[in-house]
Amino acid sequence: MSEKAKKGRSNFNGLHHPVVDFWRREVGGISSRNFSNRFSASENLVLRLEIYKKLEKHKGCVNTVSFNAEGDVLISGSDDRRVVLWDWQLGNVKLSFHSGHANNVFQAKFMPFSDDRTIVTCAADGMVRRASILEGDKVETSFLGLHQGRAHKLCIEPGNPHIFYTCGEDGLVQRFDLRTEAPTELFTCQSVDPRRRNMEAIQLNAIAIDPRNSNLFAVGGMDEYARLYDVRRFQGDGSNGFTRAADHFCPPHLIGNEEVGITGLAFSEQSELLVSYNDEFIYLFTPDMGLGSNPIPSSPISKSSVSKSESASSPKDENEHSVPLVYKGHKNSETVKGVNFFGPRSEYVVSGSDCGRIFIWRKKGGELIRVMEADRHVVNCIEPHPHIPVLASSGIESDIKVWTSKAAERATLPENIELLPSRFRIPWLSFLSFHDYDDELFGNGMDIGIDGNEGEDESIDDAEDDSDSDYSSGLDDNDSDDDMDSDDDVDDMDSDDDECFIEIDNNMDNNGDGGSETNVDSISGSHQDDDDDVVDDDD
């Protein structure tokens, strides 16, 4: 049989047909691993995703969701400062405990090879903490380190039960080793633009490690560049110039744009870097698309003439292969949204949106294939299951939604989303106005009287906490969402303020600049501060 005929037998409309693949697996024509990967990557399953469970326990915005390595436990953190472990398949709370943080929990993750008993967290109070689950479900929390400002994200070195990294709005990147007493301060991120070097630091919102090379990690924040660092360059004495990134990534038309910033980063299984910009789009960079260690041209060049080849430390011709792929349609203006890959080989790109929807694109080609109604408000976090086609999502609402491919019919793109040929632009807060808003919100910057040793070695027994003593499936507490559902219920998914725009042409010219009005109520947090009263009442 010819190769063309063989391919035709296993594909349907250009995709692997699950029935044929199942038959081939049974007769030994395809390995179980390849079958599993093809099954999990099936677009048919993506188009059948729908809500399987709503997990309700938190009393504030849910800012982080993450699966354990096995995929049977989901961990979440919230504005209520609690961390909850879920049996997501049954919808049960396995464990709920106070994180020890004094403000909203922004990230919570299991350390690998710890039997899911070691959890690391970072939060709006700038603290980085560890939670150790002891016998009898007792939890001991301890202080690990501190950022001068909110610490939005942490990332764990793949397969390492001891090492992880954090970044914060102070621009500081820290490396933690749980075997040592103090973190290592790697560097403070500075602007590469001489015009902005009077600013103290670049506020960082995101950090991610390359799964194929754990020596490489990327950071992104309140400017246009995603920076790639190689930790092997760090020597500890400051003489090696580690503060300069090994590489920089930015779409050519955004270089020099002071209105944009990065809210989310993710690495694919192929070491591609996915970058989500506020009030802009999502871009996919391959390793060879970097601008080098010095992306700013040595001689003055007008913004309109700046190109990738002129900015790179190693000049190369700009062609279709050096321009990043773009993913359009969602709206990212009001919060620090994550971005992620979906599928065993990162076949899809997923993101939340200000309009409360989840957007899914094919990674290859950038075509939007799915828009799912998720929340009434902003969706910030989307986390894929490590082994099967399951998603967990969360955002401004106090619940978590788990999505599985159980729909009877394949979904189509909704017709009620307005199609526009031009892109939307809502400039986000400038660096200075962000600080002004932050000071007004939290007082003098982030000086909220936090002692670094506060809560250290704190032992918390949830059996003594009546509000969290129910670990069974009885999650029907009528008061669990009372604080969240007051005047906000009048918001409609299709209101003008939350409208998302889908653009059909992914190859349109991106050189246009938009401009305009700044909404002071939109801050770069993984939450909205309307619910801060829920947190403050617990103090």
Side-chain angles (χ1 to χ4, degrees), residues 227-282:
R227 296 162 169 83
L228 183 71
Y229 292 86
D230 189 334
V231 74
R232 292 170 294 189
R233 295 187 178 186
F234 180 73
Q235 296 177 358
D237 57 3
S239 62
N240 58 335
F242 187 68
T243 55
R244 172 172 289 188
D247 212 345
H248 294 76
F249 297 88
C250 181
H253 71 286
L254 291 183
I255 294 176
N257 189 331
E258 299 181 5
E259 299 295 331
V260 299
I262 294 170
T263 66
L265 296 171
F267 276 103
S268 73
E269 293 299 322
Q270 297 80 31
S271 296
E272 301 156 314
L273 181 61
L274 195 63
V275 184
S276 181
Y277 286 86
N278 66 284
D279 302 309
E280 244 280 338
F281 306 125
I282 298 169

Short mmCIF file of all heavy atoms in Angstrom, two decimals, residues 227-282:
data_model
loop_
_atom_site.label_atom_id
_atom_site.label_comp_id
_atom_site.label_asym_id
_atom_site.label_seq_id
_atom_site.Cartn_x
_atom_site.Cartn_y
_atom_site.Cartn_z
N ARG A 227 12.07 38.48 28.20
CA ARG A 227 13.51 38.28 28.36
C ARG A 227 13.81 36.83 28.71
O ARG A 227 13.17 36.26 29.59
CB ARG A 227 14.05 39.20 29.46
CG ARG A 227 13.93 40.68 29.14
CD ARG A 227 14.07 41.50 30.42
NE ARG A 227 14.23 42.94 30.17
CZ ARG A 227 13.24 43.77 29.94
NH1 ARG A 227 11.98 43.31 29.92
NH2 ARG A 227 13.46 45.06 29.72
N LEU A 228 14.80 36.28 28.03
CA LEU A 228 15.23 34.90 28.27
C LEU A 228 16.58 34.92 28.98
O LEU A 228 17.53 35.57 28.51
CB LEU A 228 15.33 34.14 26.95
CG LEU A 228 15.71 32.65 27.07
CD1 LEU A 228 14.53 31.86 27.66
CD2 LEU A 228 16.09 32.09 25.70
N TYR A 229 16.68 34.18 30.09
CA TYR A 229 17.91 34.12 30.88
C TYR A 229 18.41 32.68 30.96
O TYR A 229 17.62 31.72 30.94
CB TYR A 229 17.67 34.65 32.29
CG TYR A 229 17.39 36.13 32.36
CD1 TYR A 229 16.10 36.61 32.20
CD2 TYR A 229 18.42 37.04 32.57
CE1 TYR A 229 15.83 37.97 32.25
CE2 TYR A 229 18.16 38.41 32.63
CZ TYR A 229 16.87 38.87 32.47
OH TYR A 229 16.60 40.21 32.51
N ASP A 230 19.72 32.56 31.07
CA ASP A 230 20.37 31.26 31.27
C ASP A 230 21.00 31.28 32.65
O ASP A 230 21.96 32.03 32.91
CB ASP A 230 21.44 31.03 30.20
CG ASP A 230 22.00 29.62 30.24
OD1 ASP A 230 21.95 28.98 31.31
OD2 ASP A 230 22.49 29.15 29.20
N VAL A 231 20.46 30.48 33.58
CA VAL A 231 20.91 30.54 34.96
C VAL A 231 22.36 30.09 35.11
O VAL A 231 23.02 30.38 36.12
CB VAL A 231 19.97 29.68 35.85
CG1 VAL A 231 20.22 28.19 35.63
CG2 VAL A 231 20.10 30.05 37.33
N ARG A 232 22.90 29.42 34.12
CA ARG A 232 24.29 28.99 34.18
C ARG A 232 25.26 30.17 34.13
O ARG A 232 26.43 30.04 34.49
CB ARG A 232 24.60 28.02 33.04
CG ARG A 232 23.89 26.68 33.19
CD ARG A 232 24.01 25.85 31.93
NE ARG A 232 23.30 26.46 30.81
CZ ARG A 232 23.10 25.85 29.64
NH1 ARG A 232 23.56 24.63 29.46
NH2 ARG A 232 22.45 26.47 28.67
N ARG A 233 24.76 31.33 33.68
CA ARG A 233 25.61 32.52 33.63
C ARG A 233 25.75 33.19 35.00
O ARG A 233 26.59 34.07 35.18
CB ARG A 233 25.04 33.54 32.64
CG ARG A 233 25.05 33.07 31.19
CD ARG A 233 24.62 34.21 30.28
NE ARG A 233 24.65 33.82 28.87
CZ ARG A 233 24.42 34.66 27.87
NH1 ARG A 233 24.15 35.94 28.12
NH2 ARG A 233 24.47 34.26 26.62
N PHE A 234 24.93 32.80 35.92
CA PHE A 234 24.95 33.43 37.23
C PHE A 234 26.10 32.87 38.05
O PHE A 234 26.24 31.66 38.22
CB PHE A 234 23.63 33.20 37.97
CG PHE A 234 23.59 33.82 39.33
CD1 PHE A 234 23.47 35.20 39.47
CD2 PHE A 234 23.69 33.05 40.47
CE1 PHE A 234 23.43 35.78 40.72
CE2 PHE A 234 23.65 33.63 41.72
CZ PHE A 234 23.52 35.00 41.85
N GLN A 235 26.93 33.79 38.60
CA GLN A 235 28.08 33.37 39.40
C GLN A 235 27.99 33.83 40.84
O GLN A 235 28.77 33.39 41.67
CB GLN A 235 29.37 33.92 38.77
CG GLN A 235 29.65 33.35 37.38
CD GLN A 235 30.87 33.94 36.75
OE1 GLN A 235 31.51 34.83 37.32
NE2 GLN A 235 31.22 33.48 35.55
N GLY A 236 27.07 34.74 41.13
CA GLY A 236 26.87 35.13 42.52
C GLY A 236 27.66 36.33 42.97
O GLY A 236 27.39 36.89 44.04
N ASP A 237 28.65 36.78 42.19
CA ASP A 237 29.45 37.93 42.61
C ASP A 237 29.13 39.19 41.82
O ASP A 237 29.76 40.23 42.01
CB ASP A 237 30.94 37.62 42.49
CG ASP A 237 31.34 37.22 41.07
OD1 ASP A 237 30.46 37.25 40.19
OD2 ASP A 237 32.52 36.88 40.86
N GLY A 238 28.14 39.08 40.91
CA GLY A 238 27.73 40.25 40.13
C GLY A 238 28.68 40.65 39.04
O GLY A 238 28.50 41.68 38.40
N SER A 239 29.72 39.83 38.79
CA SER A 239 30.74 40.21 37.80
C SER A 239 30.47 39.65 36.41
O SER A 239 31.21 39.91 35.49
CB SER A 239 32.12 39.72 38.26
OG SER A 239 32.13 38.29 38.36
N ASN A 240 29.43 38.87 36.29
CA ASN A 240 29.21 38.18 35.03
C ASN A 240 28.14 38.83 34.16
O ASN A 240 27.77 38.31 33.13
CB ASN A 240 28.82 36.72 35.28
CG ASN A 240 27.57 36.61 36.14
OD1 ASN A 240 27.26 37.53 36.90
ND2 ASN A 240 26.86 35.52 36.02
N GLY A 241 27.60 39.98 34.60
CA GLY A 241 26.59 40.65 33.79
C GLY A 241 25.31 39.84 33.62
O GLY A 241 24.68 39.90 32.57
N PHE A 242 24.91 39.11 34.66
CA PHE A 242 23.72 38.27 34.55
C PHE A 242 22.46 39.11 34.41
O PHE A 242 21.43 38.62 33.97
CB PHE A 242 23.61 37.37 35.78
CG PHE A 242 22.52 36.34 35.69
CD1 PHE A 242 22.60 35.31 34.77
CD2 PHE A 242 21.41 36.42 36.50
CE1 PHE A 242 21.58 34.36 34.68
CE2 PHE A 242 20.39 35.47 36.41
CZ PHE A 242 20.49 34.45 35.50
N THR A 243 22.53 40.40 34.79
CA THR A 243 21.35 41.25 34.67
C THR A 243 20.95 41.46 33.21
O THR A 243 19.82 41.82 32.93
CB THR A 243 21.61 42.62 35.31
OG1 THR A 243 22.79 43.19 34.73
CG2 THR A 243 21.80 42.49 36.81
N ARG A 244 21.87 41.23 32.27
CA ARG A 244 21.53 41.33 30.86
C ARG A 244 21.00 39.98 30.38
O ARG A 244 21.65 38.95 30.55
CB ARG A 244 22.74 41.73 30.03
CG ARG A 244 22.48 41.67 28.52
CD ARG A 244 23.62 42.24 27.71
NE ARG A 244 23.69 43.69 27.83
CZ ARG A 244 24.50 44.46 27.10
NH1 ARG A 244 25.32 43.90 26.22
NH2 ARG A 244 24.51 45.76 27.26
N ALA A 245 19.84 39.99 29.78
CA ALA A 245 19.22 38.75 29.31
C ALA A 245 20.02 38.15 28.16
O ALA A 245 20.68 38.86 27.39
CB ALA A 245 17.79 39.02 28.86
N ALA A 246 19.96 36.83 28.04
CA ALA A 246 20.63 36.15 26.93
C ALA A 246 19.93 36.42 25.61
O ALA A 246 20.56 36.41 24.55
CB ALA A 246 20.68 34.65 27.20
N ASP A 247 18.59 36.68 25.68
CA ASP A 247 17.84 36.95 24.46
C ASP A 247 16.59 37.75 24.81
O ASP A 247 16.12 37.74 25.97
CB ASP A 247 17.45 35.64 23.77
CG ASP A 247 17.39 35.76 22.25
OD1 ASP A 247 17.36 36.91 21.76
OD2 ASP A 247 17.38 34.72 21.57
N HIS A 248 16.07 38.45 23.83
CA HIS A 248 14.85 39.22 23.98
C HIS A 248 13.89 38.86 22.85
O HIS A 248 14.32 38.59 21.73
CB HIS A 248 15.13 40.73 23.92
CG HIS A 248 15.95 41.25 25.04
ND1 HIS A 248 17.30 41.06 25.12
CD2 HIS A 248 15.60 41.99 26.14
CE1 HIS A 248 17.77 41.64 26.21
NE2 HIS A 248 16.76 42.21 26.85
N PHE A 249 12.59 38.88 23.16
CA PHE A 249 11.57 38.58 22.17
C PHE A 249 10.51 39.68 22.19
O PHE A 249 10.02 40.07 23.26
CB PHE A 249 10.91 37.23 22.45
CG PHE A 249 11.86 36.07 22.35
CD1 PHE A 249 12.60 35.66 23.46
CD2 PHE A 249 12.03 35.39 21.15
CE1 PHE A 249 13.48 34.59 23.38
CE2 PHE A 249 12.91 34.32 21.06
CZ PHE A 249 13.64 33.93 22.16
N CYS A 250 10.17 40.17 21.00
CA CYS A 250 9.13 41.19 20.88
C CYS A 250 8.69 41.27 19.43
O CYS A 250 9.54 41.24 18.52
CB CYS A 250 9.67 42.55 21.33
SG CYS A 250 8.45 43.88 21.24
N PRO A 251 7.39 41.37 19.15
CA PRO A 251 6.95 41.59 17.78
C PRO A 251 7.54 42.90 17.26
O PRO A 251 7.60 43.90 17.99
CB PRO A 251 5.42 41.68 17.90
CG PRO A 251 5.09 40.99 19.19
CD PRO A 251 6.25 41.25 20.09
N PRO A 252 7.99 42.94 16.02
CA PRO A 252 8.66 44.15 15.50
C PRO A 252 7.85 45.42 15.67
O PRO A 252 8.40 46.47 15.99
CB PRO A 252 8.88 43.81 14.03
CG PRO A 252 8.96 42.32 13.98
CD PRO A 252 8.01 41.84 15.03
N HIS A 253 6.53 45.36 15.47
CA HIS A 253 5.73 46.57 15.53
C HIS A 253 5.51 47.09 16.95
O HIS A 253 5.03 48.21 17.13
CB HIS A 253 4.36 46.34 14.86
CG HIS A 253 3.45 45.45 15.65
ND1 HIS A 253 3.62 44.09 15.73
CD2 HIS A 253 2.36 45.73 16.41
CE1 HIS A 253 2.69 43.56 16.48
NE2 HIS A 253 1.90 44.54 16.91
N LEU A 254 5.87 46.30 17.97
CA LEU A 254 5.69 46.74 19.36
C LEU A 254 6.97 47.31 19.96
O LEU A 254 6.94 47.84 21.08
CB LEU A 254 5.19 45.59 20.23
CG LEU A 254 3.77 45.10 19.97
CD1 LEU A 254 3.38 44.01 20.95
CD2 LEU A 254 2.77 46.25 20.02
N ILE A 255 8.09 47.20 19.27
CA ILE A 255 9.34 47.73 19.79
C ILE A 255 9.21 49.25 19.94
O ILE A 255 8.85 49.95 19.00
CB ILE A 255 10.52 47.38 18.87
CG1 ILE A 255 10.75 45.86 18.87
CG2 ILE A 255 11.79 48.10 19.32
CD1 ILE A 255 11.82 45.40 17.92
N GLY A 256 9.48 49.74 21.13
CA GLY A 256 9.35 51.16 21.41
C GLY A 256 7.97 51.59 21.85
O GLY A 256 7.75 52.76 22.16
N ASN A 257 7.02 50.66 21.92
CA ASN A 257 5.66 50.98 22.34
C ASN A 257 5.60 50.99 23.87
O ASN A 257 5.76 49.96 24.52
CB ASN A 257 4.68 49.95 21.76
CG ASN A 257 3.23 50.33 21.98
OD1 ASN A 257 2.89 51.02 22.95
ND2 ASN A 257 2.37 49.90 21.08
N GLU A 258 5.35 52.16 24.44
CA GLU A 258 5.33 52.30 25.89
C GLU A 258 3.96 52.01 26.50
O GLU A 258 3.80 52.11 27.71
CB GLU A 258 5.79 53.71 26.28
CG GLU A 258 7.20 54.03 25.83
CD GLU A 258 7.64 55.42 26.26
OE1 GLU A 258 6.85 56.07 26.99
OE2 GLU A 258 8.74 55.85 25.88
N GLU A 259 2.98 51.67 25.68
CA GLU A 259 1.62 51.44 26.17
C GLU A 259 1.34 49.97 26.47
O GLU A 259 0.31 49.66 27.07
CB GLU A 259 0.60 51.93 25.13
CG GLU A 259 0.69 53.41 24.82
CD GLU A 259 0.33 54.27 26.02
OE1 GLU A 259 -0.46 53.80 26.85
OE2 GLU A 259 0.85 55.38 26.13
N VAL A 260 2.22 49.07 26.06
CA VAL A 260 1.94 47.65 26.23
C VAL A 260 2.82 47.06 27.32
O VAL A 260 3.84 47.61 27.71
CB VAL A 260 2.16 46.87 24.91
CG1 VAL A 260 1.24 47.37 23.83
CG2 VAL A 260 3.63 46.94 24.48
N GLY A 261 2.38 45.92 27.80
CA GLY A 261 3.14 45.14 28.77
C GLY A 261 2.75 43.69 28.62
O GLY A 261 1.78 43.34 27.92
N ILE A 262 3.48 42.81 29.26
CA ILE A 262 3.26 41.37 29.16
C ILE A 262 2.56 40.88 30.42
O ILE A 262 2.98 41.19 31.54
CB ILE A 262 4.60 40.64 28.97
CG1 ILE A 262 5.21 41.01 27.61
CG2 ILE A 262 4.43 39.12 29.08
CD1 ILE A 262 6.64 40.54 27.43
N THR A 263 1.49 40.12 30.25
CA THR A 263 0.75 39.58 31.39
C THR A 263 0.94 38.08 31.57
O THR A 263 0.72 37.58 32.67
CB THR A 263 -0.75 39.86 31.25
OG1 THR A 263 -1.28 39.13 30.13
CG2 THR A 263 -1.01 41.35 31.02
N GLY A 264 1.31 37.36 30.50
CA GLY A 264 1.44 35.91 30.62
C GLY A 264 2.50 35.35 29.71
O GLY A 264 2.73 35.86 28.60
N LEU A 265 3.16 34.28 30.17
CA LEU A 265 4.17 33.56 29.41
C LEU A 265 3.96 32.07 29.55
O LEU A 265 3.48 31.59 30.58
CB LEU A 265 5.58 33.89 29.92
CG LEU A 265 6.12 35.32 29.80
CD1 LEU A 265 7.42 35.44 30.58
CD2 LEU A 265 6.32 35.70 28.35
N ALA A 266 4.33 31.32 28.52
CA ALA A 266 4.29 29.87 28.60
C ALA A 266 5.24 29.28 27.57
O ALA A 266 5.37 29.82 26.46
CB ALA A 266 2.87 29.33 28.37
N PHE A 267 5.92 28.20 27.94
CA PHE A 267 6.77 27.46 27.02
C PHE A 267 6.02 26.22 26.53
O PHE A 267 5.32 25.56 27.31
CB PHE A 267 8.06 27.01 27.70
CG PHE A 267 9.15 28.05 27.71
CD1 PHE A 267 9.43 28.76 28.87
CD2 PHE A 267 9.90 28.31 26.57
CE1 PHE A 267 10.43 29.70 28.90
CE2 PHE A 267 10.91 29.26 26.58
CZ PHE A 267 11.18 29.96 27.75
N SER A 268 6.20 25.91 25.25
CA SER A 268 5.64 24.67 24.71
C SER A 268 6.61 23.53 24.91
O SER A 268 7.75 23.73 25.35
CB SER A 268 5.34 24.84 23.21
OG SER A 268 6.56 24.86 22.47
N GLU A 269 6.18 22.33 24.56
CA GLU A 269 7.06 21.16 24.63
C GLU A 269 8.16 21.23 23.59
O GLU A 269 9.09 20.45 23.62
CB GLU A 269 6.24 19.87 24.45
CG GLU A 269 5.26 19.59 25.57
CD GLU A 269 5.95 19.41 26.90
OE1 GLU A 269 7.05 18.80 26.92
OE2 GLU A 269 5.41 19.86 27.93
N GLN A 270 8.05 22.17 22.65
CA GLN A 270 9.06 22.35 21.61
C GLN A 270 9.93 23.59 21.89
O GLN A 270 10.61 24.08 21.00
CB GLN A 270 8.40 22.48 20.24
CG GLN A 270 7.63 21.25 19.79
CD GLN A 270 6.25 21.14 20.43
OE1 GLN A 270 5.61 22.14 20.74
NE2 GLN A 270 5.80 19.90 20.64
N SER A 271 9.88 24.11 23.12
CA SER A 271 10.66 25.29 23.54
C SER A 271 10.21 26.57 22.85
O SER A 271 10.96 27.55 22.81
CB SER A 271 12.17 25.08 23.32
OG SER A 271 12.64 24.02 24.14
N GLU A 272 9.02 26.60 22.28
CA GLU A 272 8.46 27.84 21.76
C GLU A 272 7.96 28.69 22.93
O GLU A 272 7.50 28.14 23.95
CB GLU A 272 7.30 27.55 20.81
CG GLU A 272 7.68 26.68 19.62
CD GLU A 272 6.48 25.94 19.05
OE1 GLU A 272 5.71 25.37 19.85
OE2 GLU A 272 6.32 25.95 17.81
N LEU A 273 8.05 29.99 22.79
CA LEU A 273 7.64 30.90 23.86
C LEU A 273 6.37 31.62 23.46
O LEU A 273 6.31 32.30 22.43
CB LEU A 273 8.75 31.90 24.15
CG LEU A 273 8.47 32.91 25.27
CD1 LEU A 273 8.24 32.20 26.60
CD2 LEU A 273 9.62 33.91 25.39
N LEU A 274 5.34 31.49 24.28
CA LEU A 274 4.05 32.13 24.05
C LEU A 274 3.97 33.36 24.95
O LEU A 274 4.21 33.27 26.17
CB LEU A 274 2.92 31.16 24.39
CG LEU A 274 1.52 31.48 23.92
CD1 LEU A 274 1.45 31.52 22.40
CD2 LEU A 274 0.53 30.43 24.47
N VAL A 275 3.66 34.52 24.37
CA VAL A 275 3.67 35.79 25.10
C VAL A 275 2.33 36.48 24.91
O VAL A 275 1.91 36.74 23.78
CB VAL A 275 4.81 36.71 24.61
CG1 VAL A 275 4.85 37.98 25.45
CG2 VAL A 275 6.15 35.99 24.67
N SER A 276 1.68 36.81 26.02
CA SER A 276 0.39 37.51 25.98
C SER A 276 0.57 38.95 26.41
O SER A 276 1.09 39.23 27.50
CB SER A 276 -0.62 36.82 26.89
OG SER A 276 -1.89 37.47 26.85
N TYR A 277 0.15 39.89 25.55
CA TYR A 277 0.28 41.32 25.83
C TYR A 277 -1.06 41.90 26.25
O TYR A 277 -2.11 41.50 25.74
CB TYR A 277 0.77 42.07 24.58
CG TYR A 277 2.23 41.86 24.26
CD1 TYR A 277 2.64 40.77 23.50
CD2 TYR A 277 3.20 42.74 24.73
CE1 TYR A 277 3.99 40.58 23.20
CE2 TYR A 277 4.54 42.57 24.43
CZ TYR A 277 4.93 41.48 23.67
OH TYR A 277 6.26 41.29 23.38
N ASN A 278 -1.01 42.87 27.16
CA ASN A 278 -2.24 43.59 27.49
C ASN A 278 -2.65 44.48 26.32
O ASN A 278 -1.79 45.06 25.62
CB ASN A 278 -2.04 44.46 28.72
CG ASN A 278 -1.06 45.59 28.50
OD1 ASN A 278 0.14 45.36 28.48
ND2 ASN A 278 -1.56 46.81 28.31
N ASP A 279 -3.94 44.58 26.09
CA ASP A 279 -4.50 45.43 25.03
C ASP A 279 -3.86 45.17 23.68
O ASP A 279 -3.76 46.07 22.85
CB ASP A 279 -4.36 46.91 25.40
CG ASP A 279 -5.03 47.22 26.71
OD1 ASP A 279 -6.20 46.87 26.86
OD2 ASP A 279 -4.36 47.79 27.59
N GLU A 280 -3.43 43.95 23.46
CA GLU A 280 -2.81 43.57 22.20
C GLU A 280 -3.18 42.12 21.97
O GLU A 280 -4.30 41.71 22.30
CB GLU A 280 -1.29 43.79 22.27
CG GLU A 280 -0.78 44.84 21.30
CD GLU A 280 -0.64 44.28 19.89
OE1 GLU A 280 -0.52 43.06 19.71
OE2 GLU A 280 -0.60 45.09 18.95
N PHE A 281 -2.28 41.35 21.43
CA PHE A 281 -2.57 39.97 21.08
C PHE A 281 -1.60 39.01 21.77
O PHE A 281 -0.79 39.41 22.61
CB PHE A 281 -2.52 39.80 19.56
CG PHE A 281 -3.40 40.76 18.82
CD1 PHE A 281 -2.88 41.57 17.82
CD2 PHE A 281 -4.74 40.86 19.12
CE1 PHE A 281 -3.69 42.46 17.13
CE2 PHE A 281 -5.57 41.74 18.44
CZ PHE A 281 -5.03 42.55 17.45
N ILE A 282 -1.71 37.76 21.39
CA ILE A 282 -0.81 36.71 21.88
C ILE A 282 0.11 36.34 20.73
O ILE A 282 -0.33 36.18 19.60
CB ILE A 282 -1.61 35.48 22.36
CG1 ILE A 282 -2.53 35.86 23.53
CG2 ILE A 282 -0.67 34.35 22.76
CD1 ILE A 282 -3.53 34.78 23.89
#
